[in-house]
Amino acid sequence: MSSFNLLGVVNNRTWGPDIKNEELVNCCMGEIKKYQFEPSMKFEKIGKICDFTNSNYQKNLKEINKNSGEGNNAFEEELQFQTVDLRTGQKQKGTLYNKKKIVNKQTTQAFTQKQQEEDNLYSSRIKTAEQKKQKLLQQAKTARMNARHRIFTEWSIEPTPVWTVECEMMFNELPKKIIKEDYLKIEDIYFRGKVLYYDKKIENINVKNPPSLIHINKDVNCLVCKTNDDQSLIEIAIDEEKKCKDGNIDNIFLVSTDQILACLMSSVHSKYSWHLLIKKKGNKIIIDKDEDSIVDLLTVNENSIDAPTQDNENKMNSLQALGFEAIKINERFRKQVLLKNEIAEQYDNVSFKSKHNKASEVLYRYRKFYLPPLLHSSSKANCTVITRGEIHSKVKGTANSYIYVCALNEYDIKSHKNWRSQIENQKGALLANEIRNNTSKLHKFICQALLSGCEDIKLGFISRKNANDSENHNILSIQSHKTKDLSTQIGLKYENIWGILRFIIDNIADKPDGKYVLLKDPLKALLRLYCTHEGDNN
């Protein structure tokens, strides 16, 4: 074991022996130089502080390798050596951690006041946005009303100063008029004309390649025959009047067509002004339409917000043009769904005075309806309604399953909600939308089907081929409905529509004999009965 002598070292400048004193250094370090040291342990490196961080450690190793060519093995061993430290590093705490948190002391009153201010600010913003929205809606509504003002304020016939108002029937009272449907009796008188079988193949329609609607002779008059032009109705009315006189029966009987009766039954939903001519003599009441009456027109989107107006920029989309287009479409559609030369039933020909009235492939059914009195009504008189209904087709293989054929038509095919985009996947939504826009027309269709005794309704959806072409159309779809199911779907109640008709008959029956005009007021939701004070010309 080597001996070690402690030497006194005097150095006032630094720690340890003075490097400049070579004698002292050789004396102290002479024995140590005998031992072999690694290059990193040389004298010139001893005075430095060790750095155990990874970056500095690797840097030192590289410097050692540069300074000395020796010790390659030692350098490789140092690279293989790794320090393992499993201790998780402590997160440094921010400078604000040690500072005391300043707590804002707030009283209940101040908090409530602040909360109230925030609520007021939020509510004021919502109120402002709501006011802007309501203002825009009101402006749009005003614009629509201004556009529709002319057509909705036009009188179908202007009352003269000679006319006197006999009674007014408010629309809000009509839904309350009800009869007991169980006491309603129906009797068939006879049939006229012929009916063909229905072609079921027509329902197989591809929307991408829909069939075209056929054309008919332009000379054919598609309007419904008037009451006074139907000799069969007049003859039935005369026979009924004789029976009442011979039997001294106090019975009110009304004579009219299914078109006029359907107009009265669905009057609650009508928006346009229309009028009917009434002739009363004794217990007999005859209701007829005027020449070129709006009753003949099949209105389009009458109940829509954007109903067509008479002064439309495009004349093909005016009220009257669309009404005549709808009449032609229905007449052409009713002919196209029939099986040609396959007659289901055939009777005597009709006896109409006017020429070219309706197509020949229509079966006319003359019937009697015995209406019971209204519930909670003072009038207990018997009432008989004599009318003529239309049957357009018959289902093959059934006994008496008659079909009423009708169609809805689309004229604005450029809309983003056109029928072609909805007809396949959104049939229910499409029908619901048409019920909302054409409530009055669909009510008339169903009422006419009920009056003619048709159990099924074939509803066609027909659209223009071109937006600016009102002559050429495509059949997009045909929906089949039971008459009762469709009436339930649109909210039509049988006891109510018969109650409305009985209420109108009672109001007319109370008046003296003469000529009257029943007018739908264009400005108010009511029916007004005028007496014209004209002489009775039988």
Side-chain angles (χ1 to χ4, degrees):
M1 185 174 178
S2 61
S3 60
F4 180 77
N5 296 325
L6 182 62
L7 300 176
V9 179
V10 179
N11 185 5
N12 297 327
R13 294 186 300 106
T14 60
W15 291 95
D18 191 359
I19 299 174
K20 294 181 179 181
N21 191 351
E22 295 181 0
E23 183 181 356
L24 181 61
V25 171
N26 292 331
C27 180
C28 295
M29 304 298 292
E31 295 293 331
I32 297 176
K33 288 182 179 180
K34 295 179 182 180
Y35 302 98
Q36 185 178 0
F37 289 93
E38 292 293 333
S40 61
M41 297 298 292
K42 285 188 176 181
F43 177 76
E44 59 269 15
K45 299 294 182 181
I46 290 177
K48 292 188 177 181
I49 300 173
C50 294
D51 186 5
F52 288 96
T53 60
N54 186 34
S55 60
N56 291 335
Y57 183 64
Q58 297 293 337
K59 184 178 179 181
N60 292 338
L61 291 177
K62 290 180 181 179
E63 289 179 356
I64 293 168
N65 190 27
K66 288 179 181 179
N67 295 333
S68 175
E70 301 176 357
N72 291 331
N73 295 332
F75 178 70
E76 293 177 358
E77 290 178 0
E78 289 291 338
L79 289 176
Q80 292 177 359
F81 178 78
Q82 294 180 356
T83 303
V84 180
D85 187 4
L86 299 177
R87 294 177 298 172
T88 56
Q90 294 182 354
K91 294 182 180 179
Q92 294 183 356
K93 297 179 180 179
T95 56
L96 299 176
Y97 181 80
N98 295 326
K99 293 184 179 181
K100 292 183 179 180
K101 294 182 180 179
I102 301 173
V103 180
N104 292 328
K105 294 183 179 180
Q106 194 174 28
T107 61
T108 306
Q109 184 178 0
F111 175 78
T112 306
Q113 185 178 359
K114 184 179 179 181
Q115 192 72 20
Q116 188 175 2
E117 290 176 356
E118 292 178 356
D119 293 343
N120 292 338
L121 180 62
Y122 180 71
S123 60
S124 64
R125 289 177 180 175
I126 294 178
K127 190 176 181 180
T128 305
E130 189 67 25
Q131 287 176 350
K132 289 182 179 179
K133 184 179 178 181
Q134 291 295 333
K135 187 177 180 180
L136 292 174
L137 290 175
Q138 186 64 31
Q139 290 176 354
K141 184 178 179 180
T142 305
R144 289 195 300 268
M145 291 301 295
N146 291 336
R148 300 165 65 194
H149 178 73
R150 179 181 173 185
I151 186 60
F152 284 137
T153 56
E154 283 185 351
W155 297 75
S156 61
I157 184 172
E158 292 188 7
T160 64
V162 182
W163 293 6
T164 58
V165 179
E166 297 295 326
C167 69
E168 291 182 348
M169 291 165 271
M170 306 297 294
F171 280 179
N172 56 2
E173 296 178 359
L174 296 182
K176 303 174 186 176
K177 307 302 177 182
I178 297 173
I179 66 168
K180 288 186 178 180
E181 192 181 354
D182 297 336
Y183 294 101
L184 176 67
K185 297 180 181 180
I186 305 172
E187 178 185 340
D188 285 336
I189 303 174
Y190 50 72
F191 292 86
R192 290 289 183 268
K194 64 179 179 180
V195 63
L196 277 66
Y197 285 114
Y198 178 75
D199 186 7
K200 294 183 179 179
K201 295 180 181 179
I202 194 69
E203 296 184 3
N204 300 327
I205 297 174
N206 183 7
V207 181
K208 296 180 180 179
N209 187 21
S212 299
L213 191 66
I214 63 171
H215 291 272
I216 58 175
N217 190 358
K218 293 182 179 180
D219 296 333
V220 176
N221 187 359
C222 301
L223 302 180
V224 179
C225 180
K226 296 169 60 177
T227 305
N228 290 316
D229 290 342
D230 189 349
Q231 294 181 359
S232 298
L233 277 178
I234 302 301
E235 291 174 0
I236 295 171
I238 293 172
D239 293 340
E240 191 70 20
E241 189 177 10
K242 288 181 180 179
K243 290 180 182 179
C244 292
K245 287 181 179 179
D246 295 341
N248 293 325
I249 302 173
D250 185 15
N251 185 25
I252 304 169
F253 60 95
L254 171 72
V255 183
S256 188
T257 62
D258 61 337
Q259 182 191 43
I260 295 172
L261 295 181
C263 182
L264 294 174
M265 290 175 170
S266 61
S267 57
V268 178
H269 304 284
S270 59
K271 300 296 181 183
Y272 302 128
S273 176
W274 48 267
H275 69 279
L276 297 172
L277 306 179
I278 301 172
K279 183 179 179 181
K280 181 181 180 298
K281 184 180 179 182
N283 291 337
K284 182 176 68 174
I285 301 172
I286 298 177
I287 303 180
D288 204 353
K289 60 184 179 181
D290 205 350
E291 294 291 342
D292 300 327
S293 174
I294 194 175
V295 177
D296 279 322
L297 299 181
L298 291 175
T299 57
V300 180
N301 293 348
E302 180 179 352
N303 302 94
S304 173
I305 298 175
D306 300 321
T309 58
Q310 189 62 30
D311 53 352
N312 196 299
E313 294 180 359
N314 190 348
K315 293 184 179 180
M316 286 189 298
N317 295 337
S318 63
L319 169 65
Q320 191 172 9
L322 289 174
F324 281 114
E325 181 184 354
I327 294 173
K328 293 178 183 178
I329 287 173
N330 275 267
E331 193 64 30
R332 292 157 59 186
F333 179 62
R334 286 164 182 168
K335 291 194 69 174
Q336 190 164 351
V337 298
L338 300 176
L339 286 172
K340 296 181 180 179
N341 302 324
E342 292 195 23
I343 300 174
E345 296 180 19
Q346 187 170 8
Y347 301 92
D348 296 337
N349 294 329
V350 293
S351 54
F352 296 156
K353 290 182 181 179
S354 57
K355 297 180 180 179
H356 308 297
N357 268 291
K358 300 290 285 183
S360 57
E361 294 86 3
V362 177
L363 183 63
Y364 295 97
R365 191 176 194 176
Y366 293 85
R367 312 179 86 188
K368 286 182 184 179
F369 294 89
Y370 298 97
L371 300 183
L374 288 170
L375 292 177
H376 313 295
S377 175
S378 58
S379 176
K380 302 297 180 182
N382 297 323
C383 180
T384 304
V385 177
I386 302 170
T387 186
R388 178 198 71 226
E390 293 182 5
I391 299 171
H392 302 124
S393 185
K394 186 177 181 180
V395 180
K396 201 169 186 178
T398 58
N400 289 313
S401 182
Y402 295 120
I403 299 174
Y404 188 86
V405 181
C406 53
L408 299 172
N409 59 300
E410 180 191 33
Y411 66 94
D412 186 12
I413 62 175
K414 293 183 179 180
S415 173
H416 67 284
K417 289 186 178 180
N418 57 68
W419 289 359
R420 285 175 173 83
S421 62
Q422 296 180 299
I423 203 71
E424 284 186 329
N425 302 323
Q426 298 177 346
K427 288 185 178 180
L430 177 60
L431 179 60
N433 188 50
E434 291 307 308
I435 290 173
R436 182 170 59 253
N437 294 336
N438 294 284
T439 308
S440 179
K441 182 162 67 172
L442 285 171
H443 272 73
K444 289 178 183 177
F445 285 154
I446 295 175
C447 290
Q448 287 179 268
L450 289 172
L451 291 169
S452 58
C454 294
E455 298 178 359
D456 298 314
I457 292 179
K458 300 293 182 180
L459 184 62
F461 290 84
I462 299 174
S463 178
R464 289 181 181 177
K465 289 185 178 181
N466 191 326
N468 296 322
D469 185 5
S470 60
E471 294 296 330
N472 299 307
H473 302 81
N474 286 328
I475 304 174
L476 301 182
S477 176
I478 300 175
Q479 294 185 8
S480 300
H481 299 276
K482 290 292 183 182
T483 305
K484 290 186 177 180
D485 295 341
L486 186 59
S487 61
T488 304
Q489 190 171 354
I490 69 173
L492 186 146
K493 298 179 181 179
Y494 291 172
E495 61 271 15
N496 179 235
I497 58 175
W498 288 115
I500 292 173
L501 184 60
R502 179 62 198 256
F503 177 69
I504 295 173
I505 293 172
D506 289 344
N507 278 281
I508 299 172
D510 293 339
K511 305 299 180 287
D513 295 352
K515 292 184 178 180
Y516 298 87
V517 174
L518 185 65
L519 176 64
K520 194 273 174 185
D521 195 296
L523 302 175
K524 299 179 182 179
L526 58 86
L527 294 175
R528 192 176 284 116
L529 184 66
Y530 291 93
C531 180
T532 60
H533 299 286
E534 295 180 8
D536 293 337
N537 296 322
N538 297 330

